[in-house]
Amino acid sequence: MQLFGLADCNNFYCSCERVFHPELNNRPVVVLSNNDGCVIARSNESKALGVKMGTPFYQVRQLLDDNHVAVFSSNYTLYGSLSHRVMSLLSQYTPHLDIYSIDEAFLDFSDMEKGCDLKAYGEQLVRRVSKSTGIPISLGIAPTRTLAKMASKFAKKYKGYHGCCLMDTDEKRQKALALFPIEDVWGIGRRISKQLEYFGIHTAADFAAKSERWVRQHFNVTTARTWEELNGVSCISVDELPQKQSICTSRSFSDQGVSDRHVLEEAVANFASRCAEKLRHQGSCCKSIMVFAYTSRFNERVPAHMIYETITLSVATQSSAEIIHEALKVLRRAYVPGTYYYKKAGVILMDIVPERPCQQDLFDKVDRRKQQFLTRTIDRINLLNGQNKVRLAIQGTDIRFGLKHEYLSHRYTTNIQDLLVVKV
């Protein structure tokens, strides 16, 4: 029988912080976005207090103080390191592991021996990962990836599952569908859920009960495949999931903002580099680059200025050096001399296409093979020695563009200076 598992780390960012602060277990915890702007992760205790995802920090600061909520700035180096540990352990339980995000992975249990108690096997997996890493996880097992994702939510919500929900019979599937809101189904976005609600469809069971002809008549192929998955027919592969159509890295600058042109260029260069890394990670190239920067919309005492410029490339690229070069070219072309304090800037990569095949240009002056070899070599060096160990000079050697992280925890697993010290 074909069965898939979806392992999902519970409240991942908050759980990472708790690994090295066990005194925070059962205490409310929140993690803030870059620049300590808004709430991007909440423990269950924080959710119970009414803290909403994406709420600006200043709006809930008093509420957090009054309830003794532990607040942390986002520490992506730590989170990435612990994610790698979790995924390494998961890979020992199946030869087929597909990492879906920093805190989720699909496992293929189709080759399990007949007679294997998959529920006990799943509970063992959950216990081992939680004990070995300190990160609690939930595991859903079902005949399709969509149902597995649904099962993982039940495993997370109900303690009686002991961290693992097995949906291996049609009776269990029908019961789960009836309890699951349609807007929470993987693959059903906000727009589609509103359309479905117009037709009186409020649960996954309502949708699964519709005929295939009706679904294909009213919705696209992607929604039809979700319908098939809900009915137990596996037809969605992780490799087939749509890639991002645009990639953005942006930051708000602390205090008054950035007025020095060279510091602004350094910031844009680092944003462009991060976008290029994301681009290579999903195996894509981009053909358009947008750069933006603007002053505060709320401070009327300083001059206002806005930059929104785009450049189109003759050949799609994923090279950090080329993307940084083109992004700075855009910035310098749009830059207006004057004393402007930019509060936010960013880079957006658009017109994203697969890296293979990639349309070439007969008159292209860049040696693409040499460029690709150089890029991959730098990526390997940085993978072994740490992010940005090798970078372009324009990126600088230290962050000068005022990122705010007043509540940043240590990089316990990646920086020898931050190792825990035990006194006996």
Side-chain angles (χ1 to χ4, degrees), residues 222-403:
T222 303
T223 306
R225 291 170 75 184
T226 299
W227 174 87
E228 289 187 71
E229 290 252 328
L230 292 176
N231 280 288
V233 179
S234 178
C235 58
I236 296 178
S237 166
V238 173
D239 296 333
E240 296 171 345
L241 295 176
Q243 296 177 329
K244 293 181 179 179
Q245 297 304 301
S246 65
I247 293 176
C248 175
T249 299
S250 64
R251 296 287 185 273
S252 296
F253 303 129
S254 60
D255 302 325
Q256 199 172 5
V258 170
S259 61
D260 189 310
R261 172 183 173 178
H262 300 294
V263 175
L264 183 62
E265 289 181 357
E266 184 178 304
V268 168
N270 279 280
F271 300 158
S273 174
R274 183 65 184 129
C275 284
E277 290 174 15
K278 296 177 184 178
L279 195 65
R280 292 194 295 275
H281 182 71
Q282 72 171 32
S284 302
C285 297
C286 74
K287 290 200 70 174
S288 299
I289 302 171
M290 173 187 280
V291 176
F292 65 88
Y294 50 81
T295 55
S296 174
R297 289 167 288 184
F298 308 105
N299 190 350
E300 298 178 354
R301 294 173 296 176
V302 298
H305 188 249
M306 181 180 296
I307 295 173
Y308 268 101
E309 290 288 332
T310 303
I311 189 170
T312 300
L313 310 176
S314 59
V315 178
T317 184
Q318 59 177 203
S319 164
S320 292
E322 187 172 7
I323 290 173
I324 290 173
H325 172 75
E326 297 297 338
L328 290 176
K329 186 191 296 185
V330 173
L331 178 65
R332 289 162 181 164
R333 184 177 66 201
Y335 187 82
V336 176
T339 306
Y340 298 112
Y341 289 89
Y342 294 98
K343 281 294 292 180
K344 187 168 186 176
V347 174
I348 305 175
L349 306 185
M350 302 177 294
D351 294 336
I352 293 176
V353 297
E355 61 182 348
R356 291 189 183 89
C358 190
Q359 181 66 45
Q360 302 298 305
D361 186 340
L362 182 62
F363 304 102
D364 186 14
K365 297 179 180 179
V366 178
D367 187 332
R368 298 288 163 180
R369 180 177 294 183
K370 190 177 291 186
Q371 181 193 69
Q372 185 181 60
F373 180 77
L374 176 62
T375 300
R376 289 181 176 176
T377 300
I378 292 174
D379 282 345
R380 282 196 294 270
I381 293 172
N382 287 335
L383 181 64
L384 293 172
N385 298 281
Q387 191 177 29
N388 278 337
K389 290 297 182 183
V390 177
R391 52 186 160 179
L392 297 186
I394 189 65
Q395 292 179 251
T397 57
D398 193 17
I399 295 177
R400 296 192 296 159
F401 40 93
L403 284 180

Side-chain angles (χ1 to χ4, degrees), residues 192-202:
I192 298 296
S193 67
K194 288 187 178 297
Q195 290 178 293
L196 289 169
E197 288 175 2
Y198 173 78
F199 290 109
I201 296 172
H202 301 286

Side-chain angles (χ1 to χ4, degrees), residues 84-321:
H84 178 71
R85 295 186 181 194
V86 170
M87 301 307 168
S88 295
L89 284 170
L90 292 176
S91 67
Q92 298 176 19
Y93 285 83
T94 174
H96 307 291
L97 178 74
D98 293 312
I99 298 174
Y100 181 56
S101 66
I102 192 172
D103 63 344
E104 290 180 292
F106 285 103
L107 302 90
D108 191 340
F109 293 124
S110 303
D111 296 331
M112 296 293 292
E113 296 181 7
K114 289 184 178 180
C116 172
D117 186 345
L118 200 52
K119 180 71 165 68
Y121 188 76
E123 289 181 9
Q124 179 193 1
L125 181 156
V126 169
R127 286 195 301 270
R128 186 183 174 204
V129 172
S130 299
K131 184 176 181 179
S132 301
T133 66
I135 304 295
I137 71 167
S138 301
L139 177 65
I141 305 175
T144 73
R145 289 181 172 86
T146 302
L147 290 173
K149 196 164 177 68
M150 182 183 298
S152 73
K153 291 183 181 293
F154 283 114
K156 184 181 295 187
K157 187 175 181 180
Y158 300 107
K159 292 183 178 180
Y161 285 114
H162 302 292
C164 176
C165 174
L166 175 61
M167 195 187 299
D168 58 346
T169 66
D170 192 61
E171 182 182 356
K172 292 179 182 178
R173 180 181 66 86
Q174 292 288 357
K175 185 177 180 180
L177 292 176
L179 294 171
F180 211 80
I182 189 63
E183 63 269 17
D184 292 339
V185 173
W186 186 47
I188 301 294
R190 185 178 300 176
R191 181 177 62 84
I192 298 296
S193 67
K194 288 187 178 297
Q195 290 178 293
L196 289 169
E197 288 175 2
Y198 173 78
F199 290 109
I201 296 172
H202 301 286
T203 67
D206 296 335
F207 183 49
K210 291 292 184 180
S211 69
E212 182 177 1
R213 181 180 178 183
W214 183 89
V215 173
R216 293 189 180 278
Q217 181 181 353
H218 290 89
F219 299 96
N220 59 23
V221 174
T222 303
T223 306
R225 291 170 75 184
T226 299
W227 174 87
E228 289 187 71
E229 290 252 328
L230 292 176
N231 280 288
V233 179
S234 178
C235 58
I236 296 178
S237 166
V238 173
D239 296 333
E240 296 171 345
L241 295 176
Q243 296 177 329
K244 293 181 179 179
Q245 297 304 301
S246 65
I247 293 176
C248 175
T249 299
S250 64
R251 296 287 185 273
S252 296
F253 303 129
S254 60
D255 302 325
Q256 199 172 5
V258 170
S259 61
D260 189 310
R261 172 183 173 178
H262 300 294
V263 175
L264 183 62
E265 289 181 357
E266 184 178 304
V268 168
N270 279 280
F271 300 158
S273 174
R274 183 65 184 129
C275 284
E277 290 174 15
K278 296 177 184 178
L279 195 65
R280 292 194 295 275
H281 182 71
Q282 72 171 32
S284 302
C285 297
C286 74
K287 290 200 70 174
S288 299
I289 302 171
M290 173 187 280
V291 176
F292 65 88
Y294 50 81
T295 55
S296 174
R297 289 167 288 184
F298 308 105
N299 190 350
E300 298 178 354
R301 294 173 296 176
V302 298
H305 188 249
M306 181 180 296
I307 295 173
Y308 268 101
E309 290 288 332
T310 303
I311 189 170
T312 300
L313 310 176
S314 59
V315 178
T317 184
Q318 59 177 203
S319 164
S320 292

